[in-house]
Amino acid sequence: MRIFNARTKKTEEVPEIVKTDDEWRKILTPEQFEITRRKGTEMPFTGKCDLPLGKGLYRCVCCGTDLFEIGAKFESGTGWPSFWEPVSELNVRIKTDKGLFLERKEVLCARCGAHLGHVFDDGPPPTGKRYCINAAALRLFETGGKKKKMEVATFAAGCFWHVQEEFDGVEGVARTTAGYAGGTKRNPTYEEVSAGRTGHAESVRVEFDPSIVSYDRLLDAFWRMHDPTTLNRQGLDIGTQYRSVIFFHSKKQEEEAEESKEKMGKNYKKPIVTEVVPAGEFYPAEEYHQKYNMKRGASCRL
């Protein structure tokens, strides 16, 4: 069979890999075996799928076949690693899955038949695909550099579509997730939040590389993208869900946020009403809200 080698950029003839269940159990963890050989699914937001500092590949945990380039990974907000394309259509096999009383497209490793996940037609450009893959089915192979040491920041500045788009454009930001923070209800829905019944603010969680962009620089971007003097309102969006908030994750972030707020206050005639509060539970918004402006060409700028 033919498999594409993502490092040499050449197609190679390789043998298909077939093993018994006992043989697979000897080389896989119980979780890896259950997912790849028994078509299981890991719980969302539990799998670890690291980003390397340089280039990298995600390989099949069973046979080592190259599956996805690190550059094809994006944050879908679903709780599973998502990619918009594999390294080659030769390396994955798509099969109709009629389980769970619905029809989906299952993604398998072409060489060993490992169950990887499913592919959907709601991904970002350029393919419009979302390969939703179990982290336990992947093994990271770094082709250069060291693993990134990431930090997290969370902000609310009105409609999270716009806020996410703005932070995605900041160099050093690795991923963003639109969601809900600062409320009282567990696992709120968009309808509940938009009705103002849960106390949450439309927010964006930002994962960033502090060696490239500082927290203070993220604060500068935060102030520029909205009007921090309007209470519970940004443009035509009115309600506590659109309030201005900096959710700090450490004492250092709190100090920098307060200092930045005081400094920015000198630039406005009206007082800044932005809250600076501890980051509590963050709930990712529904998938269709993730990268909304990028996927649909929408805009909600002030």
Side-chain angles (χ1 to χ4, degrees), residues 213-221 223 256-257 259-260 263:
V213 60
S214 66
Y215 182 67
D216 193 56
R217 168 80 191 286
L218 295 180
L219 288 169
D220 288 342
W223 298 121
E256 289 187 32
E259 182 179 345
S260 180
K263 178 181 176 182

Side-chain angles (χ1 to χ4, degrees), residues 1 6 35 48 50 55 68 97 114 116 118 120 125 143 152 154 181 187 193 203 249 255 268 295:
M1 65 183 301
I35 289 171
K48 188 176 181 181
D50 294 326
K55 297 180 179 180
F68 300 96
D97 177 6
L116 305 174
H118 294 85
F120 302 93
T143 56
V152 177
T154 306
N187 301 309
V193 173
S203 308
H249 292 261
E255 292 172 352
Y268 293 91
K295 291 188 288 189

Side-chain angles (χ1 to χ4, degrees), residues 214-241:
S214 66
Y215 182 67
D216 193 56
R217 168 80 191 286
L218 295 180
L219 288 169
D220 288 342
F222 167 77
W223 298 121
R224 288 196 304 269
M225 69 180 66
H226 78 303
D227 183 352
T229 68
T230 54
L231 182 64
N232 299 332
R233 177 173 186 167
Q234 287 301 309
L236 299 177
D237 295 324
I238 302 173
T240 57
Q241 65 270 32

Side-chain angles (χ1 to χ4, degrees), residues 68-74 82-86:
F68 300 96
E69 293 273 8
I70 192 68
K73 188 174 186 293
F74 69 98
S82 298
F83 305 86
W84 59 68
E85 66 179 356

